[in-house]
Amino acid sequence: MTAVVVLGTVAASAGASAYATTTTSAVASGSRDDVSIAEYLRQTMDGLGFQEVVDLAPPATAQFNTLNADVDADATTAEQRARQYAAVAAVPQPIVQQPQIDASVLELDDAGRIVSSGTVLMSPQYPHGVVVPVDANHHTTAVRYRQWDTAGWYANHGQGTIDVVPARESAPLDFMSPYPASVLKLMVNFGILRLVDQGVVGLDDTYSYQPETISSLCGPASSNTIRAYVDASLTASSNAATCALIKLLWDYNAMDGLNQAFQDLGLETLQLAGTRPSNGGNWSNAITMSSLDTAKLLVLINGAPGTLWTTPAGVPVTASSALSASSRQLFAAELGQQGWNWMLSTTNFCGRGYPAPGIPQVTADRWIAADGTVTVDGNRFGQDVRPCDQAAQVSFAHKPGWTTNAGADAGIVKSLPGKPHRQYVITVFSNLGDRYQDPQRPATPTGVVPVEYTQKFAQLGAAIDQYEVRRCATL
């Protein structure tokens, strides 16, 4: 059996063989293997106690508004925000209400087709999590998705006001979708590869990025091949490269066509909206992604034969109807070169003891120095990841995202040769950005990047991965 889960990562430790077997009983207390993936996901999320995190910038602090900007939310770095939090003259306080989390797991057969799925929403309205009903096409009309609004999350008990999908007023579930952060780069690069497939641009064409206005998010003018921009966007999560690609989409009048393509594929919540044609910036709440539709997008990227699902309009969707085989192969390979393995997989922190280990993935060689440590775009992690690579069980082709008020990860998990079989995509979106930490989080060692997320996400990723191993072993 293969599974698609958009959710988590794994950090392996030096004593690595115990790494993948010590988490589930402690994390998923009360979770049972004889339940569906949807119910297992809900039980595990509920058992992790996401409401136990603390807020580094509580609403009463003077810098609350500065730290809660919703426009160009990815413009500041983790280090810059860490300095901002340190300047807040307040003791961290418990989060004021249940966090907003949207998580999906799609289980696949060996060919990559979906065989079962689970989507769980957690919010102040659903403090113990609620399983989303889906039809035979793994599509739901049961959720009234709303755009993210940080101020509204505090003021309205987590209730949104702007609909993402029209005509959902009577839906039984109402959920404000977290901002997707840098997972939005999946949509951007999907759009670019569509242009490549259409023959509009070539991957080795040089694109000259000439912004009409320079922003802190996008940076100055640049020139590079489209292939290089795609690589930087997906593997190092470069905002500057992504802004260039968004502007390229606008230059070729391709933005409306991209958003319509998501609708035509039955992925109604995926919308790359509100960006600026002048520089590719203005990443705001109008950009929306649900965990379920993101997981299905990753199924298309992963590829599989035949009809994968039928849209609400009755149109059969195949992998080739989304992207060519060469574009899918490139897309998946780039995601497999991900440098930021620190949310649902935490191998970049191998051996540190915190954060907890997550999905036991192998780390791409390109980021590993001679001493075994990982540095991504100047961000040094400082831990020897070679013991975790030796103990790795899976590849994790994924794209994480992070801001002050958003933490997300989405990717494809596949077992390595000779390791227990599983293959799945896991996706998670949340409002637990780096302003929220575990109370027991140790101080950041000097000269290394701070831990960005609560370790509960890594624990969730590890629990789901072990569940999939056990399920696949029984089939």
Side-chain angles (χ1 to χ4, degrees), residues 91-171:
V91 176
Q93 299 293 319
I95 191 170
V96 297
Q97 57 192 357
Q98 187 73 27
Q100 210 86 0
I101 304 175
D102 175 8
S104 288
V105 174
L106 302 182
E107 298 180 328
L108 311 176
D109 64 17
D110 288 341
R113 296 178 295 251
I114 305 170
V115 295
S116 61
S117 70
T119 295
V120 173
L121 306 177
M122 183 172 278
S123 71
Q125 285 69 44
Y126 316 113
H128 298 289
V130 61
V131 172
V132 173
V134 297
D135 61 22
N137 293 295
H138 305 280
H139 176 268
T140 186
T141 58
V143 184
R144 186 179 186 182
Y145 289 104
R146 315 284 196 113
Q147 286 186 17
W148 178 253
D149 172 23
T150 298
W153 187 76
Y154 286 95
N156 299 324
H157 199 54
Q159 288 288 111
T161 58
I162 301 176
D163 287 307
V164 173
V165 180
R168 291 280 183 88
E169 292 81 2
S170 61

Side-chain angles (χ1 to χ4, degrees), residues 39 93 126 133 156 184 258 321 341 356 383 425 448:
E39 180 56 22
Q93 299 293 319
Y126 316 113
N156 299 324
L184 66 85
L258 171 61
S321 66
N341 308 304
Q383 295 294 122
V425 175
V448 300

Side-chain angles (χ1 to χ4, degrees), residues 290-428:
S290 70
S291 73
L292 179 56
D293 284 350
T294 303
K296 292 171 76 173
L297 178 65
L298 286 166
V299 171
L300 292 173
I301 293 167
N302 188 46
T307 297
L308 298 179
W309 61 80
T310 301
T311 71
V315 178
V317 173
T318 65
S320 60
S321 66
L323 291 174
S324 68
S326 59
S327 286
R328 296 196 308 272
Q329 183 179 20
L330 173 66
F331 209 149
E334 290 290 335
L335 293 175
Q337 294 290 306
Q338 181 59 239
W340 299 95
N341 308 304
W342 62 342
M343 183 177 164
L344 294 173
S345 60
T346 49
T347 47
N348 283 13
F349 296 109
C350 181
R352 187 182 291 182
Y354 179 94
I359 297 170
Q361 71 162 97
V362 65
T363 302
D365 290 340
R366 66 186 285 181
W367 310 110
I368 304 175
D371 63 357
T373 62
V374 167
T375 300
V376 184
D377 197 24
N379 296 273
R380 183 172 179 270
F381 285 85
Q383 295 294 122
D384 187 347
V385 303
R386 289 172 295 188
C388 294
D389 271 0
Q390 293 170 4
Q393 296 189 23
V394 299
S395 63
F396 187 31
H398 67 119
K399 183 69 200 74
W402 58 96
T403 69
T404 298
N405 293 294
D409 206 351
I412 306 161
V413 177
K414 295 183 179 182
S415 53
L416 295 173
K419 301 301 181 181
H421 182 65
R422 68 276 213 186
Q423 183 180 227
Y424 59 93
V425 175
I426 179 171
T427 57
V428 62

